[in-house]
Amino acid sequence: MRLIVLSLLFTSTLAWFYGRDEPDRWSVGGVWPLPQKIIYGSKNRTLTYDKIGIDLGDKKDCDVLLAMADNYMNKWLFPYPVEMKTGGTEDFIITVTVKEECPGGPPVHGASEEYLLRVSVSEAVINAQTVWGALRAMETLSHLVFYDQKSQEYQIRTAEIFDKPRFPVRGIMIDSSRHFLSLNVIKRQLEIMSMNKLNVLHWHLVDSESFPYTSQKFPELHGVGAYSPRHVYSREDISEVIAFARLRGIRVIPEFDLPGHTSSWKGRKGFLTECFDEKGEETFLPNLVDPMNDANFDFLAEFLEEVTETFPDQFLHLGGDEVSDYIVECWVRNKKIRKFMDEKGFGNNTVLLENYFFEKLFSIVEKLKLKRKPIFWQEVFDNNIPDPNSIIHIWKGNTHEEIYEQVKNITSKNFPVIVSACWYLNYIKYGADWRDEIRGTAPSNSRYYYCDPTSFNGTDTQKNLVLGGIAAIWGELVDNTNIEARLWPRASAAAERLWSPAEKTQKAEDAWPRMHELRCRLVSRGYRIQPNNNPDYCPFEFDEPPATKSEL
């Protein structure tokens, strides 16, 4: 009888709620996102901060690698709030070898992020073609480090890893028009992005509500369109973000949405059309560009030249979405616009007027001194005639299957695509939405881990046109206070989908222990990473910094 009781007691320790055996079941030295190939060794190595170093070899003067060494040695490798042991071990040197020269600018589209990492009990060796690959390798190495609470020591797992991303575009979209985001908050998101091996910040800078971008050539734009003189990004602010992103292997792609979502451009006289309600009364809330005024296209040409001088990335997002939301109010009911349409032979077909605007815009982009590849939201493909050089950004689809059909249709016309429809993270659901379908919302607004942009029946040529994806966090109800916890680790699900081999990341049940370890690691690094797997706990929980004496 005593043996039965013991057996029952033993069994009860292996059962818990939510289909888990323990509340904190997590991997030890698990890597997120999962590498292309990883082989763990049988031994671990004890690490102490006084016996570890980084050898950058002939790249010892490269600012990207120097910043990497400083960040990991002084912050990220040993994040837990424990008393660090010293001595008692041999030196552990991380040797970094990069083939290409240190770049002076940000990463370019398609730059290699491939790396080889070997960790033994005596050393770690990183080999990469570019500094961007070395950055990814160093983050992976930091995931192999864990804190053993029994021995009260930091240890690192031995492993051999070959890795490279599945897609070249893996990003986050932030919206600083609806709610202004401070530089410090943007930088925190960039840091977390790098810890998830994301490489693109899509910056939706302006929209109907406000114009926080500071234009040196046209100061009336932010002078009238910004919420206040404090709610703006100066040229220096933007350069600071771009430089900060570069040191973490991240590109910054700006978006200036045209011709809709433009009410905040009202500082430019004559740029917007008058809009009218059903009674013919002017609404005084214009939200579409006036395509009749040729001076507007001259202005856009000069304005976009300034934008390309400010943002070095070779991609330029020019919006193009939801024009139909304003057409009746701002074009159909506008007598001047209707007269212009008649003169051009467009009749009542506003699509022809849209095409007229976009043809003019394509011509402007083509003539830019600093050449750019334009990105447009998918309406420009759905309703208009996009320039053959365009990238189409997909945001529509209520199910994964509908999204896949969108990708299939657009790539069949030989257009490259970026997918965001899978990952609209501003929508809030109660539950582990990164893996589970949450009822009460569109099915595409959950199960983020399972949305694969190439899961459509198409040719290899079509699938090669899928550049990747960008998780979007629209700002209507998002600001400095909540963007971090709302993004992470939900965006981490997209990060693994866009980096890791599809065949090795089929089940969220297999992934969640690694995600839990990732969450706890980032919490210990000081970030507000929300719970993502129902009730659980981290060995060291997030806490606010202690109050200063002046606050007591």
Side-chain angles (χ1 to χ4, degrees):
M1 185 67 179
R2 187 167 175 265
L3 290 174
I4 294 175
V5 171
L6 288 174
S7 177
L8 289 172
L9 288 172
F10 178 75
T11 302
S12 69
T13 64
L14 296 179
W16 203 66
F17 303 98
Y18 307 99
R20 306 207 299 264
D21 55 350
E22 294 182 36
D24 71 329
R25 172 63 61 194
W26 62 342
S27 58
V28 177
V31 179
W32 191 283
L34 189 70
Q36 295 282 329
K37 183 179 180 181
I38 180 168
I39 302 174
Y40 285 104
S42 59
K43 296 180 179 180
N44 300 331
R45 155 71 193 251
T46 298
L47 293 180
T48 59
Y49 76 91
D50 62 325
K51 293 290 186 176
I52 189 170
I54 299 179
D55 180 2
L56 301 178
D58 61 354
K59 301 297 188 300
K60 63 181 182 301
D61 296 323
C62 176
D63 61 340
V64 176
L65 297 180
L66 286 170
M68 176 193 79
D70 179 60
N71 282 329
Y72 284 93
M73 289 294 292
N74 294 316
K75 292 191 290 186
W76 308 140
L77 277 179
F78 306 106
Y80 300 109
V82 295
E83 185 177 346
M84 289 285 293
K85 293 182 179 180
T86 59
T89 64
E90 298 296 322
D91 288 345
F92 186 85
I93 303 300
I94 304 166
T95 302
V96 180
T97 302
V98 175
K99 291 183 179 179
E100 295 184 10
E101 292 302 312
C102 185
V108 297
H109 176 66
S112 173
E113 297 173 87
E114 181 178 312
Y115 66 88
L116 183 65
L117 170 63
R118 295 187 181 91
V119 181
S120 69
V121 293
S122 59
E123 64 176 353
V125 177
I126 291 171
N127 285 282
Q129 185 73 24
T130 67
V131 295
W132 320 123
L135 286 175
R136 308 304 176 222
M138 195 66 196
E139 181 61 28
T140 292
L141 184 146
S142 76
H143 290 202
L144 298 174
V145 177
F146 64 97
Y147 183 71
D148 188 320
Q149 296 192 69
K150 292 183 179 179
S151 65
Q152 297 185 337
E153 294 176 328
Y154 276 101
Q155 296 190 1
I156 186 169
R157 295 192 67 172
T158 56
E160 289 194 9
I161 299 172
F162 168 75
D163 206 6
K164 63 180 181 178
R166 185 179 167 203
F167 294 100
V169 173
R170 310 177 310 281
I172 296 293
M173 189 218 77
I174 59 171
D175 174 5
S176 61
S177 170
R178 277 56 181 257
H179 282 97
F180 186 82
L181 299 171
S182 71
L183 292 192
N184 287 338
V185 166
I186 293 173
K187 288 178 180 179
R188 284 175 66 91
Q189 307 326 300
L190 288 167
E191 287 189 317
I192 305 171
M193 285 174 63
S194 72
M195 295 169 190
N196 284 268
K197 298 187 176 72
L198 295 172
N199 69 343
V200 170
L201 178 70
H202 168 187
W203 195 348
H204 187 85
L205 265 164
V206 304
D207 210 290
S208 304
E209 292 80 1
S210 77
F211 199 101
Y213 170 77
T214 296
S215 171
Q216 294 180 340
K217 292 183 178 179
F218 306 100
E220 68 273 15
L221 290 172
H222 64 272
V224 175
Y227 282 140
S228 82
R230 294 188 303 277
H231 293 80
V232 295
Y233 302 104
S234 67
R235 187 79 168 259
E236 293 73 25
D237 292 336
I238 292 170
S239 295
E240 189 176 330
V241 169
I242 293 170
F244 192 90
R246 170 183 170 268
L247 293 178
R248 288 148 185 84
I250 297 171
R251 305 159 53 193
V252 180
I253 300 174
E255 180 185 353
F256 292 88
D257 203 348
L258 295 163
H261 290 278
T262 47
S263 185
S264 67
W265 300 58
K266 57 196 171 194
R268 181 70 181 177
K269 290 184 179 180
F271 187 63
L272 304 176
T273 61
E274 299 95 342
C275 302
F276 302 88
D277 62 20
E278 294 177 352
K279 297 178 181 180
E281 300 290 334
E282 188 171 353
T283 64
F284 299 101
L285 195 63
N287 216 11
L288 274 182
V289 174
D290 184 349
M292 299 186 303
N293 189 350
D294 283 340
N296 287 338
F297 297 102
D298 296 335
F299 154 70
L300 281 175
E302 195 170 352
F303 175 77
L304 291 179
E305 288 287 3
E306 181 189 56
V307 168
T308 60
E309 292 167 3
T310 305
F311 291 91
D313 197 84
Q314 65 264 50
F315 287 4
L316 175 60
H317 206 307
L318 293 171
D321 63 314
E322 298 181 326
V323 176
S324 60
D325 290 1
Y326 318 106
I327 277 184
V328 172
E329 184 180 342
C330 300
W331 282 357
V332 174
R333 293 176 184 155
N334 186 312
K335 293 179 181 179
K336 295 178 183 178
I337 295 289
R338 294 298 297 271
K339 181 181 178 182
F340 179 78
M341 291 176 65
D342 287 339
E343 292 172 352
K344 290 291 184 181
F346 298 160
N348 295 324
N349 191 343
T350 54
V351 172
L352 296 179
L353 185 57
E354 288 182 64
N355 289 341
Y356 174 83
F357 173 84
F358 284 117
E359 286 173 9
K360 292 267 194 178
L361 185 60
F362 298 151
S363 178
I364 290 170
V365 173
E366 189 175 317
K367 294 175 183 177
L368 289 171
K369 295 175 185 176
L370 298 172
K371 298 305 177 185
R372 294 293 182 263
K373 192 170 185 66
I375 305 173
F376 292 98
W377 293 109
Q378 70 179 86
E379 285 95 329
V380 177
F381 174 88
D382 295 340
N383 305 327
N384 309 113
I385 305 171
D387 183 272
N389 191 45
S390 303
I391 297 169
I392 305 302
H393 195 165
I394 297 173
W395 70 275
K396 293 186 176 182
N398 288 325
T399 66
H400 290 171
E401 290 69 27
E402 289 180 6
I403 295 168
Y404 302 152
E405 280 301 310
Q406 303 272 2
V407 179
K408 178 181 178 181
N409 182 34
I410 296 171
T411 56
S412 72
K413 305 300 183 184
N414 208 36
F415 284 98
V417 301
I418 295 170
V419 177
S420 282
C422 300
W423 307 291
Y424 262 43
L425 303 184
N426 46 289
Y427 289 110
I428 303 173
K429 287 82 61 183
Y430 195 75
D433 59 358
W434 73 278
R435 63 179 191 179
D436 299 334
E437 182 172 337
I438 309 300
R439 298 192 180 279
T441 182
S444 61
N445 289 332
S446 56
R447 301 184 79 241
Y448 304 128
Y449 191 75
Y450 290 106
C451 193
D452 187 325
T454 60
S455 287
F456 62 92
N457 185 19
T459 65
D460 289 343
T461 299
Q462 282 180 265
K463 296 189 176 185
N464 288 335
L465 287 169
V466 180
L467 302 183
I470 294 175
I473 184 89
W474 293 101
E476 287 87 351
L477 295 168
V478 174
D479 70 357
N480 289 336
T481 66
N482 62 354
I483 185 172
E484 194 160 291
R486 192 169 296 184
L487 263 178
W488 309 103
R490 298 159 78 221
S492 301
E496 178 146 295
R497 180 56 54 224
L498 295 169
W499 178 282
S500 305
E503 66 276 9
K504 294 183 179 181
T505 50
Q506 293 291 312
K507 296 180 180 180
E509 308 91 79
D510 297 335
W512 82 259
R514 284 184 300 106
M515 181 179 270
H516 184 56
E517 184 178 12
L518 171 74
R519 174 180 176 258
C520 293
R521 180 185 301 112
L522 297 186
V523 163
S524 289
R525 288 179 177 180
Y527 298 102
R528 293 172 173 83
I529 312 298
Q530 74 172 17
N532 60 306
N533 286 305
N534 298 309
D536 57 27
Y537 71 94
C538 291
F540 306 98
E541 299 289 1
F542 180 85
D543 196 4
E544 295 289 350
T548 63
K549 288 184 178 180
S550 62
E551 295 172 326
L552 295 175

